Amino acid sequence: MSAGAPRLLLRLWRGLARGAWLAGALVAGAASAEGTSCVQGTDGRLAEVCYRNVTGTAPYGHGVLGDTPEWETLTVRAVSGPAAERAPIFIKPRRIFEDLAPRLIDLDGDGLDEIVTVQASFSQGARLAIFRLTDDGEIALVAATPFIGRSFRWLAPAGAADLDGDGYMELAYVDRPHLAKTLRVWRFKDDQLTEVATLAGVSNHRIGWPYIIGGIRTCGDRPEVILADGGWSSLLAVSMRDGALRARRLGSWSAQASERAMATCP
């Protein structure tokens, strides 16, 4: 991977790629020297959402994202209301956020963003967890996938979009991109997550990378997930049709090819 890859990731997740606004709504950030990783809200309610380290001693020790900190807390600052002057903190013993930055996207179509995170249990590994700022200024867990089930097992988010055109949002991630290499798609409906499709033999992350490659783009009538194959030889575009995921090869994989795929449509 070239030295420009982290910049590529941030550019793609911020939605500058044509047709990739849904992927861009899931914003990946970079850790600051102060021990925070923050994103700015755009829905008129959330001013800022951050991962933070309070003690700086989160003892999980996985290191899957290189030098990226193991975040101890999730904090929210609202534009107004009960959370405007204080930052509610979500924290649970023996869990951390094993992630780059919180991701903000309106999953239920009400005009207000949910907070999408990767949360890890010291004993059960990672899960995708969705939070929401409540009217009284608290951070509430809305829905989550099951933990993978074993310590030091992780997942890499790929994006969110209405992948099958049914009017509901799907969230996609690669389950254990270094081991299982399986794309999993979960539908978000009525504040619940239901797994609707899987595809084996893909990846979007290598151990130690402080970034995730690819994302979701829209070229034509359906969004598609841009990934590498499991052996990192081919660049793939994965779409969902009739309840199944189908991959097509775009060419040889490279960071530059991934960037082009996200930035242009054929």
Side-chain angles (χ1 to χ4, degrees):
M1 177 65 68
S2 70
R7 292 190 296 273
L8 160 65
L9 170 87
L10 296 178
R11 184 163 65 254
L12 295 185
W13 281 85
R14 286 184 176 130
L16 298 186
R18 184 175 65 188
W21 70 271
L22 287 170
L26 295 172
V27 181
S32 75
E34 292 76 25
T36 63
S37 185
C38 300
V39 291
Q40 304 303 307
T42 60
D43 65 354
R45 180 190 58 156
L46 296 175
E48 183 179 68
V49 180
C50 299
Y51 292 142
R52 297 183 187 275
N53 279 346
V54 176
T55 67
T57 58
Y60 188 44
H62 189 192
V64 70
L65 287 165
D67 292 333
T68 303
E70 295 176 341
W71 308 108
E72 296 174 301
T73 67
L74 175 69
T75 68
V76 170
R77 182 167 57 85
V79 173
S80 61
E85 299 301 328
R86 61 187 176 89
I89 295 176
F90 176 88
I91 188 166
K92 192 176 183 74
R94 296 185 62 77
R95 289 186 188 177
I96 50 101
F97 293 96
E98 195 173 20
D99 202 0
L100 300 168
R103 298 161 174 84
L104 304 181
I105 187 166
D106 180 8
L107 294 175
D108 57 8
D110 68 352
L112 302 175
D113 287 339
E114 278 69 45
I115 305 165
V116 181
T117 70
V118 179
Q119 188 184 49
S121 158
F122 288 15
S123 60
Q124 299 180 74
R127 69 175 181 177
L128 199 73
I130 300 169
F131 296 88
R132 180 182 293 139
L133 181 66
T134 66
D135 291 340
D136 58 1
E138 300 299 324
I139 300 173
L141 177 65
V142 178
T145 63
F147 289 106
I148 290 172
R150 182 177 173 183
S151 182
F152 295 162
R153 297 297 183 263
W154 183 70
L155 62 87
D162 181 2
L163 292 175
D164 58 1
D166 68 349
Y168 296 100
M169 295 288 284
E170 280 80 39
L171 294 100
Y173 64 78
V174 180
D175 177 4
R176 291 159 289 175
H178 328 110
L179 295 171
K181 300 182 180 181
T182 299
L183 179 65
R184 298 190 181 276
V185 175
W186 296 74
R187 179 175 295 124
F188 185 78
K189 180 180 178 182
D190 299 329
D191 283 357
Q192 296 185 32
L193 286 169
T194 303
E195 189 171 23
V196 293
T198 64
L199 179 70
V202 298
S203 188
N204 60 351
H205 184 265
R206 284 175 164 164
I207 293 175
W209 280 359
Y211 46 83
I212 299 167
I213 63 96
I216 294 180
R217 72 177 189 182
T218 300
C219 293
D221 63 336
R222 291 284 176 86
E224 52 190 2
V225 187
I226 303 301
L227 301 163
D229 75 309
W232 291 90
S233 62
S234 296
L235 182 67
L236 304 177
V238 179
S239 58
M240 189 172 175
R241 303 273 178 175
D242 301 321
L245 295 172
R246 295 177 171 83
R248 61 187 179 92
R249 188 176 187 271
L250 300 179
S252 297
W253 185 87
S254 69
Q256 293 75 22
S258 180
E259 179 174 12
R260 286 194 298 271
M262 288 295 295
T264 62
C265 289

